Amino acid sequence: MFALVAALTIVSCGGDDSEPTDPNPTPTPEEQDVAIFKLHFQKNRNPELDRTFTYAPDEKNVIKGRVFTYAFNEKVNASCIQPVNIRSLIPYFETNADKLYYADKQLINNSTRVDFSRPVKIKAVSKGGRTKEYTIDLSHFTGLPIIFLNTDSGQEVKRRSVYEGATLEIYGCGDMNDTEFQKIQIHGRGNATWTVMQKKPSYTFKLESRQKVLGMPKHKKWVLMANYRDKTLMRNSVAWWISRKLPALKYVPKYVQAEMIFNGVHRGVYQLAEQVRIDKNRVAINEMQITDTEGEAITGGYIIELDRIANSDLYEWVMPNMHGSAHRVSIKKPKIDEMNQQQHDYIKAYVHKIDEMFGDPSKLEEVMTKYIDMPSWAAQWLVFEISGTPEPNGPSSWFTYKEKSDDKWYCGPPWDFDYKSYVPSTANQWINAGAIYMPEMLKYPPFKEELIKQWNLIKGCLPELIGYINQEREYMRISAQANWHMHEQNLIDDNRRENGDEFIPSDEAIDRMIEYLRLKWEFIDKNIANL
């Protein structure tokens, strides 16, 4: 019996040379879960970089990052950030994958150039056939679209009135379509912004054909506004946001904030915007021909600007009954080289007749009912008043238009809010009640009723407006820091103090703008009925 038990014990406890089973075995390479651990852009493989950039995926297998470099900017005598061409970067992946695929083709790690201008899908594949997909979403530079503009001369644009040759290319940076490299014509623009702000001038450019630009409708002519004196970089944007809440303003310019690389040097944030032109997507009125000389054909359309600094190449007249410092009117469209004498005489007689009627109290009702489009005049005045922009007192930048076969004089589009606006000390007063023809218009009860009606359309929008401002603040935070790193001292040295925020950070300037709007909203709501 003892011998049998011993024998059984030996059989059950020994005699098998196999290894014991591991309850948590280490998977073979073929069985391991495939993963990308880190993404690197190494300086030795990407010479345009000034350092190596490293990013890791998040829990959703998305790798996000921003790629830029530094270079010395002679214009401002400082080292400033510069964009990197992320359309052609060589990535290096820390991974246990056997193979990587990009656009259905195998990617050779640390060798294949990849276009990261749009979110990129990278597929990691293990030896055993396991796969995992990663999304790489790189931000260009500051995150804003990038405009690359190079003059044929390689020098600064010299004049405002004469076009010169240049080339243009725009990176939409993932959110918007690119504009391919092409020849353009360019000249300077603006009054004070051209004569004073030469460290960051504004421009007008013309494409060779009508094209969409950064999602905006097709056209040939565009403007690049420097907003050099605007510490918030959004004074125009906020005024145009308000304008879009007022349907009486039939056209409000579209725009995109973008970075400008001019002749290879970063210039900071520019506002690429639609130029005020006659077009179905802009000021949608009849475009006159040089052959229109009589009858209905000569009645429109005209774009008329009230501007005390009328350009010398435009027709201009003095309007004696218009309130302001200069009383000038200029015809923006047709341009001087497109206008015949009959058109000149017709539109001059039209605006002078209205001016004469405003000078005669007995004709107030007639001029207001027959000639003035009260909704658009009330809406545009309200936009300038809310922003606290005193331009109508010049007047300056007050755009109007007249359509064919229509006696009415319309206002729009609203324009030029980049300085002397949103100043808290002006929030508790009327800024433009004495401008243009407002003293006469306010004596006409139906116009005051129209003004209150326009206010009621937007008075509940303040929380939404503040939300928009804060959203734009975050979107532009990095670009604003880069812009003012270059230009803040220039702004101070120019010794112009129209806004009163030149010495504070842009973030504080935006807070100041919001506080102004709260005060102005309250003031208008309490006082507009007694204006």
mmCIF file of all heavy atoms in Angstrom, residues 413-449:
data_model
loop_
_atom_site.group_PDB
_atom_site.id
_atom_site.type_symbol
_atom_site.label_atom_id
_atom_site.label_comp_id
_atom_site.label_asym_id
_atom_site.label_seq_id
_atom_site.Cartn_x
_atom_site.Cartn_y
_atom_site.Cartn_z
ATOM 1 N N PRO A 413 -22.127 100.859 -46.596
ATOM 2 C CA PRO A 413 -21.951 100.036 -45.397
ATOM 3 C C PRO A 413 -21.252 100.805 -44.279
ATOM 4 O O PRO A 413 -20.535 101.773 -44.535
ATOM 5 C CB PRO A 413 -21.048 98.909 -45.902
ATOM 6 C CG PRO A 413 -20.209 99.564 -46.961
ATOM 7 C CD PRO A 413 -21.118 100.559 -47.640
ATOM 8 N N PRO A 414 -21.429 100.389 -43.013
ATOM 9 C CA PRO A 414 -20.691 101.007 -41.908
ATOM 10 C C PRO A 414 -19.200 100.700 -42.041
ATOM 11 O O PRO A 414 -18.823 99.583 -42.396
ATOM 12 C CB PRO A 414 -21.298 100.350 -40.665
ATOM 13 C CG PRO A 414 -21.881 99.055 -41.163
ATOM 14 C CD PRO A 414 -22.308 99.296 -42.579
ATOM 15 N N TRP A 415 -18.357 101.684 -41.733
ATOM 16 C CA TRP A 415 -16.930 101.535 -42.032
ATOM 17 C C TRP A 415 -16.093 102.385 -41.077
ATOM 18 O O TRP A 415 -16.509 103.468 -40.687
ATOM 19 C CB TRP A 415 -16.683 101.989 -43.474
ATOM 20 C CG TRP A 415 -15.321 101.676 -44.007
ATOM 21 C CD1 TRP A 415 -14.241 102.506 -44.045
ATOM 22 C CD2 TRP A 415 -14.885 100.448 -44.596
ATOM 23 N NE1 TRP A 415 -13.157 101.877 -44.606
ATOM 24 C CE2 TRP A 415 -13.536 100.607 -44.958
ATOM 25 C CE3 TRP A 415 -15.515 99.223 -44.833
ATOM 26 C CZ2 TRP A 415 -12.795 99.588 -45.558
ATOM 27 C CZ3 TRP A 415 -14.777 98.219 -45.429
ATOM 28 C CH2 TRP A 415 -13.443 98.392 -45.796
ATOM 29 N N ASP A 416 -14.922 101.876 -40.695
ATOM 30 C CA ASP A 416 -13.869 102.638 -40.033
ATOM 31 C C ASP A 416 -14.148 102.902 -38.549
ATOM 32 O O ASP A 416 -14.540 103.993 -38.152
ATOM 33 C CB ASP A 416 -13.642 103.966 -40.757
ATOM 34 C CG ASP A 416 -12.256 104.543 -40.452
ATOM 35 O OD1 ASP A 416 -11.481 103.874 -39.740
ATOM 36 O OD2 ASP A 416 -11.966 105.656 -40.909
ATOM 37 N N PHE A 417 -13.863 101.897 -37.731
ATOM 38 C CA PHE A 417 -14.077 101.999 -36.280
ATOM 39 C C PHE A 417 -12.804 101.675 -35.495
ATOM 40 O O PHE A 417 -12.870 101.333 -34.329
ATOM 41 C CB PHE A 417 -15.190 101.027 -35.852
ATOM 42 C CG PHE A 417 -16.493 101.262 -36.552
ATOM 43 C CD1 PHE A 417 -16.763 100.652 -37.771
ATOM 44 C CD2 PHE A 417 -17.447 102.091 -36.004
ATOM 45 C CE1 PHE A 417 -17.971 100.865 -38.428
ATOM 46 C CE2 PHE A 417 -18.655 102.316 -36.644
ATOM 47 C CZ PHE A 417 -18.923 101.713 -37.859
ATOM 48 N N ASP A 418 -11.644 101.771 -36.159
ATOM 49 C CA ASP A 418 -10.430 101.219 -35.553
ATOM 50 C C ASP A 418 -9.780 102.121 -34.507
ATOM 51 O O ASP A 418 -8.866 101.680 -33.808
ATOM 52 C CB ASP A 418 -9.410 100.858 -36.637
ATOM 53 C CG ASP A 418 -8.945 102.072 -37.425
ATOM 54 O OD1 ASP A 418 -9.759 102.977 -37.651
ATOM 55 O OD2 ASP A 418 -7.765 102.102 -37.829
ATOM 56 N N TYR A 419 -10.226 103.362 -34.372
ATOM 57 C CA TYR A 419 -9.669 104.192 -33.298
ATOM 58 C C TYR A 419 -10.675 105.261 -32.890
ATOM 59 O O TYR A 419 -11.691 105.471 -33.556
ATOM 60 C CB TYR A 419 -8.330 104.810 -33.711
ATOM 61 C CG TYR A 419 -8.411 105.974 -34.674
ATOM 62 C CD1 TYR A 419 -8.152 107.271 -34.245
ATOM 63 C CD2 TYR A 419 -8.725 105.782 -36.013
ATOM 64 C CE1 TYR A 419 -8.221 108.336 -35.113
ATOM 65 C CE2 TYR A 419 -8.792 106.839 -36.893
ATOM 66 C CZ TYR A 419 -8.540 108.119 -36.451
ATOM 67 O OH TYR A 419 -8.603 109.185 -37.307
ATOM 68 N N LYS A 420 -10.396 105.907 -31.742
ATOM 69 C CA LYS A 420 -11.313 106.880 -31.128
ATOM 70 C C LYS A 420 -12.670 106.247 -30.845
ATOM 71 O O LYS A 420 -13.709 106.908 -30.927
ATOM 72 C CB LYS A 420 -11.489 108.112 -32.013
ATOM 73 C CG LYS A 420 -10.272 109.007 -32.103
ATOM 74 C CD LYS A 420 -10.592 110.274 -32.880
ATOM 75 C CE LYS A 420 -9.399 111.202 -32.955
ATOM 76 N NZ LYS A 420 -9.690 112.416 -33.744
ATOM 77 N N SER A 421 -12.682 104.981 -30.531
ATOM 78 C CA SER A 421 -13.947 104.283 -30.305
ATOM 79 C C SER A 421 -13.861 103.441 -29.035
ATOM 80 O O SER A 421 -12.769 103.109 -28.570
ATOM 81 C CB SER A 421 -14.290 103.397 -31.511
ATOM 82 O OG SER A 421 -13.221 102.517 -31.815
ATOM 83 N N TYR A 422 -15.034 103.136 -28.456
ATOM 84 C CA TYR A 422 -15.141 102.306 -27.245
ATOM 85 C C TYR A 422 -14.312 102.891 -26.092
ATOM 86 O O TYR A 422 -13.646 102.159 -25.361
ATOM 87 C CB TYR A 422 -14.718 100.865 -27.529
ATOM 88 C CG TYR A 422 -15.364 100.261 -28.752
ATOM 89 C CD1 TYR A 422 -14.703 100.239 -29.980
ATOM 90 C CD2 TYR A 422 -16.643 99.726 -28.689
ATOM 91 C CE1 TYR A 422 -15.287 99.697 -31.108
ATOM 92 C CE2 TYR A 422 -17.241 99.176 -29.821
ATOM 93 C CZ TYR A 422 -16.558 99.171 -31.030
ATOM 94 O OH TYR A 422 -17.149 98.629 -32.141
ATOM 95 N N VAL A 423 -14.338 104.195 -25.943
ATOM 96 C CA VAL A 423 -13.583 104.880 -24.888
ATOM 97 C C VAL A 423 -14.515 105.101 -23.697
ATOM 98 O O VAL A 423 -15.526 105.793 -23.819
ATOM 99 C CB VAL A 423 -13.029 106.223 -25.391
ATOM 100 C CG1 VAL A 423 -12.265 106.941 -24.273
ATOM 101 C CG2 VAL A 423 -12.121 105.996 -26.605
ATOM 102 N N PRO A 424 -14.228 104.504 -22.525
ATOM 103 C CA PRO A 424 -15.160 104.558 -21.394
ATOM 104 C C PRO A 424 -15.606 105.960 -20.992
ATOM 105 O O PRO A 424 -16.750 106.160 -20.577
ATOM 106 C CB PRO A 424 -14.375 103.872 -20.270
ATOM 107 C CG PRO A 424 -13.485 102.915 -20.980
ATOM 108 C CD PRO A 424 -13.077 103.622 -22.236
ATOM 109 N N SER A 425 -14.737 106.955 -21.136
ATOM 110 C CA SER A 425 -15.115 108.310 -20.721
ATOM 111 C C SER A 425 -16.217 108.909 -21.588
ATOM 112 O O SER A 425 -16.828 109.915 -21.208
ATOM 113 C CB SER A 425 -13.887 109.221 -20.746
ATOM 114 O OG SER A 425 -13.362 109.319 -22.071
ATOM 115 N N THR A 426 -16.499 108.293 -22.735
ATOM 116 C CA THR A 426 -17.555 108.806 -23.623
ATOM 117 C C THR A 426 -18.844 107.988 -23.530
ATOM 118 O O THR A 426 -19.788 108.257 -24.270
ATOM 119 C CB THR A 426 -17.074 108.796 -25.086
ATOM 120 O OG1 THR A 426 -16.938 107.427 -25.535
ATOM 121 C CG2 THR A 426 -15.736 109.501 -25.228
ATOM 122 N N ALA A 427 -18.880 107.000 -22.641
ATOM 123 C CA ALA A 427 -20.012 106.062 -22.622
ATOM 124 C C ALA A 427 -21.307 106.713 -22.168
ATOM 125 O O ALA A 427 -22.397 106.282 -22.557
ATOM 126 C CB ALA A 427 -19.690 104.865 -21.728
ATOM 127 N N ASN A 428 -21.240 107.748 -21.346
ATOM 128 C CA ASN A 428 -22.447 108.350 -20.786
ATOM 129 C C ASN A 428 -22.800 109.671 -21.458
ATOM 130 O O ASN A 428 -23.221 110.634 -20.806
ATOM 131 C CB ASN A 428 -22.277 108.552 -19.274
ATOM 132 C CG ASN A 428 -22.225 107.220 -18.550
ATOM 133 O OD1 ASN A 428 -23.082 106.356 -18.747
ATOM 134 N ND2 ASN A 428 -21.204 107.034 -17.726
ATOM 135 N N GLN A 429 -22.639 109.725 -22.761
ATOM 136 C CA GLN A 429 -22.985 110.933 -23.518
ATOM 137 C C GLN A 429 -23.267 110.554 -24.968
ATOM 138 O O GLN A 429 -22.845 109.502 -25.439
ATOM 139 C CB GLN A 429 -21.840 111.949 -23.446
ATOM 140 C CG GLN A 429 -20.525 111.413 -23.973
ATOM 141 C CD GLN A 429 -19.381 112.376 -23.774
ATOM 142 O OE1 GLN A 429 -19.259 113.356 -24.502
ATOM 143 N NE2 GLN A 429 -18.548 112.119 -22.768
ATOM 144 N N TRP A 430 -23.981 111.433 -25.676
ATOM 145 C CA TRP A 430 -24.182 111.267 -27.106
ATOM 146 C C TRP A 430 -22.961 111.813 -27.834
ATOM 147 O O TRP A 430 -22.508 112.920 -27.567
ATOM 148 C CB TRP A 430 -25.438 111.990 -27.573
ATOM 149 C CG TRP A 430 -26.701 111.467 -26.967
ATOM 150 C CD1 TRP A 430 -27.535 112.115 -26.116
ATOM 151 C CD2 TRP A 430 -27.282 110.170 -27.190
ATOM 152 N NE1 TRP A 430 -28.596 111.317 -25.766
ATOM 153 C CE2 TRP A 430 -28.472 110.110 -26.417
ATOM 154 C CE3 TRP A 430 -26.915 109.062 -27.947
ATOM 155 C CZ2 TRP A 430 -29.286 108.983 -26.388
ATOM 156 C CZ3 TRP A 430 -27.737 107.936 -27.921
ATOM 157 C CH2 TRP A 430 -28.902 107.905 -27.154
ATOM 158 N N ILE A 431 -22.428 111.052 -28.767
ATOM 159 C CA ILE A 431 -21.229 111.449 -29.503
ATOM 160 C C ILE A 431 -21.572 112.094 -30.835
ATOM 161 O O ILE A 431 -20.911 113.028 -31.277
ATOM 162 C CB ILE A 431 -20.321 110.216 -29.746
ATOM 163 C CG1 ILE A 431 -19.917 109.584 -28.417
ATOM 164 C CG2 ILE A 431 -19.080 110.592 -30.550
ATOM 165 C CD1 ILE A 431 -19.134 110.496 -27.514
ATOM 166 N N ASN A 432 -22.632 111.621 -31.482
ATOM 167 C CA ASN A 432 -22.913 112.023 -32.864
ATOM 168 C C ASN A 432 -24.282 112.664 -33.064
ATOM 169 O O ASN A 432 -24.787 112.718 -34.188
ATOM 170 C CB ASN A 432 -22.780 110.793 -33.783
ATOM 171 C CG ASN A 432 -21.384 110.210 -33.763
ATOM 172 O OD1 ASN A 432 -20.414 110.884 -34.085
ATOM 173 N ND2 ASN A 432 -21.271 108.950 -33.354
ATOM 174 N N ALA A 433 -24.880 113.168 -31.994
ATOM 175 C CA ALA A 433 -26.210 113.780 -32.123
ATOM 176 C C ALA A 433 -26.186 115.059 -32.950
ATOM 177 O O ALA A 433 -27.223 115.478 -33.492
ATOM 178 C CB ALA A 433 -26.789 114.071 -30.735
ATOM 179 N N GLY A 434 -25.008 115.683 -33.053
ATOM 180 C CA GLY A 434 -24.906 116.911 -33.842
ATOM 181 C C GLY A 434 -24.246 116.725 -35.187
ATOM 182 O O GLY A 434 -23.861 117.707 -35.828
ATOM 183 N N ALA A 435 -24.116 115.466 -35.649
ATOM 184 C CA ALA A 435 -23.366 115.177 -36.868
ATOM 185 C C ALA A 435 -24.263 115.148 -38.109
ATOM 186 O O ALA A 435 -25.458 114.843 -38.044
ATOM 187 C CB ALA A 435 -22.657 113.833 -36.728
ATOM 188 N N ILE A 436 -23.681 115.453 -39.234
ATOM 189 C CA ILE A 436 -24.276 115.355 -40.575
ATOM 190 C C ILE A 436 -25.612 116.110 -40.600
ATOM 191 O O ILE A 436 -25.618 117.333 -40.499
ATOM 192 C CB ILE A 436 -24.409 113.882 -41.036
ATOM 193 C CG1 ILE A 436 -23.064 113.160 -40.818
ATOM 194 C CG2 ILE A 436 -24.794 113.794 -42.504
ATOM 195 C CD1 ILE A 436 -23.051 111.698 -41.204
ATOM 196 N N TYR A 437 -26.743 115.406 -40.695
ATOM 197 C CA TYR A 437 -28.060 116.056 -40.676
ATOM 198 C C TYR A 437 -28.879 115.629 -39.463
ATOM 199 O O TYR A 437 -30.099 115.817 -39.432
ATOM 200 C CB TYR A 437 -28.834 115.723 -41.962
ATOM 201 C CG TYR A 437 -28.157 116.209 -43.224
ATOM 202 C CD1 TYR A 437 -27.675 115.309 -44.167
ATOM 203 C CD2 TYR A 437 -27.982 117.579 -43.453
ATOM 204 C CE1 TYR A 437 -27.040 115.755 -45.313
ATOM 205 C CE2 TYR A 437 -27.345 118.028 -44.598
ATOM 206 C CZ TYR A 437 -26.873 117.105 -45.522
ATOM 207 O OH TYR A 437 -26.246 117.565 -46.658
ATOM 208 N N MET A 438 -28.212 115.053 -38.457
ATOM 209 C CA MET A 438 -28.953 114.548 -37.294
ATOM 210 C C MET A 438 -29.727 115.630 -36.539
ATOM 211 O O MET A 438 -30.866 115.378 -36.102
ATOM 212 C CB MET A 438 -28.000 113.815 -36.355
ATOM 213 C CG MET A 438 -27.612 112.434 -36.826
ATOM 214 S SD MET A 438 -29.006 111.308 -37.057
ATOM 215 C CE MET A 438 -29.520 111.081 -35.360
ATOM 216 N N PRO A 439 -29.210 116.845 -36.355
ATOM 217 C CA PRO A 439 -30.016 117.851 -35.645
ATOM 218 C C PRO A 439 -31.371 118.090 -36.306
ATOM 219 O O PRO A 439 -32.380 118.289 -35.613
ATOM 220 C CB PRO A 439 -29.138 119.105 -35.692
ATOM 221 C CG PRO A 439 -27.732 118.567 -35.740
ATOM 222 C CD PRO A 439 -27.842 117.346 -36.618
ATOM 223 N N GLU A 440 -31.414 118.074 -37.636
ATOM 224 C CA GLU A 440 -32.688 118.243 -38.347
ATOM 225 C C GLU A 440 -33.527 116.968 -38.281
ATOM 226 O O GLU A 440 -34.737 117.014 -38.035
ATOM 227 C CB GLU A 440 -32.432 118.634 -39.806
ATOM 228 C CG GLU A 440 -31.913 120.046 -40.004
ATOM 229 C CD GLU A 440 -30.447 120.205 -39.620
ATOM 230 O OE1 GLU A 440 -29.698 119.197 -39.690
ATOM 231 O OE2 GLU A 440 -30.050 121.332 -39.254
ATOM 232 N N MET A 441 -32.897 115.819 -38.503
ATOM 233 C CA MET A 441 -33.632 114.554 -38.510
ATOM 234 C C MET A 441 -34.311 114.291 -37.166
ATOM 235 O O MET A 441 -35.436 113.782 -37.112
ATOM 236 C CB MET A 441 -32.694 113.394 -38.854
ATOM 237 C CG MET A 441 -32.224 113.373 -40.296
ATOM 238 S SD MET A 441 -31.167 111.929 -40.620
ATOM 239 C CE MET A 441 -30.927 112.086 -42.394
ATOM 240 N N LEU A 442 -33.632 114.639 -36.072
ATOM 241 C CA LEU A 442 -34.196 114.383 -34.746
ATOM 242 C C LEU A 442 -35.399 115.270 -34.430
ATOM 243 O O LEU A 442 -36.125 115.009 -33.466
ATOM 244 C CB LEU A 442 -33.111 114.559 -33.678
ATOM 245 C CG LEU A 442 -32.028 113.467 -33.664
ATOM 246 C CD1 LEU A 442 -30.888 113.857 -32.731
ATOM 247 C CD2 LEU A 442 -32.616 112.124 -33.255
ATOM 248 N N LYS A 443 -35.610 116.296 -35.231
ATOM 249 C CA LYS A 443 -36.804 117.129 -35.062
ATOM 250 C C LYS A 443 -38.020 116.530 -35.771
ATOM 251 O O LYS A 443 -39.138 117.049 -35.628
ATOM 252 C CB LYS A 443 -36.540 118.536 -35.613
ATOM 253 C CG LYS A 443 -35.496 119.312 -34.838
ATOM 254 C CD LYS A 443 -35.192 120.646 -35.516
ATOM 255 C CE LYS A 443 -34.075 121.389 -34.784
ATOM 256 N NZ LYS A 443 -33.695 122.647 -35.489
ATOM 257 N N TYR A 444 -37.802 115.457 -36.510
ATOM 258 C CA TYR A 444 -38.888 114.819 -37.259
ATOM 259 C C TYR A 444 -39.329 113.577 -36.486
ATOM 260 O O TYR A 444 -38.593 112.569 -36.435
ATOM 261 C CB TYR A 444 -38.386 114.458 -38.660
ATOM 262 C CG TYR A 444 -39.465 113.917 -39.574
ATOM 263 C CD1 TYR A 444 -40.595 114.678 -39.871
ATOM 264 C CD2 TYR A 444 -39.353 112.651 -40.139
ATOM 265 C CE1 TYR A 444 -41.576 114.191 -40.710
ATOM 266 C CE2 TYR A 444 -40.324 112.154 -40.975
ATOM 267 C CZ TYR A 444 -41.442 112.932 -41.256
ATOM 268 O OH TYR A 444 -42.423 112.441 -42.073
ATOM 269 N N PRO A 445 -40.488 113.587 -35.830
ATOM 270 C CA PRO A 445 -40.909 112.493 -34.934
ATOM 271 C C PRO A 445 -40.842 111.100 -35.542
ATOM 272 O O PRO A 445 -40.401 110.163 -34.860
ATOM 273 C CB PRO A 445 -42.333 112.890 -34.534
ATOM 274 C CG PRO A 445 -42.334 114.383 -34.630
ATOM 275 C CD PRO A 445 -41.455 114.708 -35.805
ATOM 276 N N PRO A 446 -41.247 110.883 -36.812
ATOM 277 C CA PRO A 446 -41.142 109.526 -37.365
ATOM 278 C C PRO A 446 -39.713 108.993 -37.400
ATOM 279 O O PRO A 446 -39.495 107.780 -37.291
ATOM 280 C CB PRO A 446 -41.719 109.675 -38.776
ATOM 281 C CG PRO A 446 -42.660 110.819 -38.674
ATOM 282 C CD PRO A 446 -41.987 111.778 -37.728
ATOM 283 N N PHE A 447 -38.725 109.890 -37.551
ATOM 284 C CA PHE A 447 -37.341 109.422 -37.541
ATOM 285 C C PHE A 447 -36.932 108.981 -36.141
ATOM 286 O O PHE A 447 -36.244 107.963 -35.979
ATOM 287 C CB PHE A 447 -36.386 110.508 -38.041
ATOM 288 C CG PHE A 447 -34.943 110.051 -38.049
ATOM 289 C CD1 PHE A 447 -34.479 109.172 -39.011
ATOM 290 C CD2 PHE A 447 -34.049 110.481 -37.065
ATOM 291 C CE1 PHE A 447 -33.161 108.733 -39.011
ATOM 292 C CE2 PHE A 447 -32.734 110.054 -37.056
ATOM 293 C CZ PHE A 447 -32.286 109.177 -38.030
ATOM 294 N N LYS A 448 -37.339 109.726 -35.125
ATOM 295 C CA LYS A 448 -37.037 109.319 -33.754
ATOM 296 C C LYS A 448 -37.686 107.976 -33.440
ATOM 297 O O LYS A 448 -37.092 107.118 -32.778
ATOM 298 C CB LYS A 448 -37.510 110.388 -32.767
ATOM 299 C CG LYS A 448 -36.669 111.655 -32.787
ATOM 300 C CD LYS A 448 -37.100 112.638 -31.729
ATOM 301 C CE LYS A 448 -36.804 112.140 -30.344
ATOM 302 N NZ LYS A 448 -37.056 113.160 -29.306
ATOM 303 N N GLU A 449 -38.881 107.759 -33.942
ATOM 304 C CA GLU A 449 -39.545 106.473 -33.748
ATOM 305 C C GLU A 449 -38.756 105.354 -34.438
ATOM 306 O O GLU A 449 -38.637 104.240 -33.902
ATOM 307 C CB GLU A 449 -40.970 106.533 -34.305
ATOM 308 C CG GLU A 449 -41.906 107.454 -33.518
ATOM 309 C CD GLU A 449 -43.241 107.650 -34.215
ATOM 310 O OE1 GLU A 449 -43.485 106.959 -35.242
ATOM 311 O OE2 GLU A 449 -44.022 108.503 -33.769
#
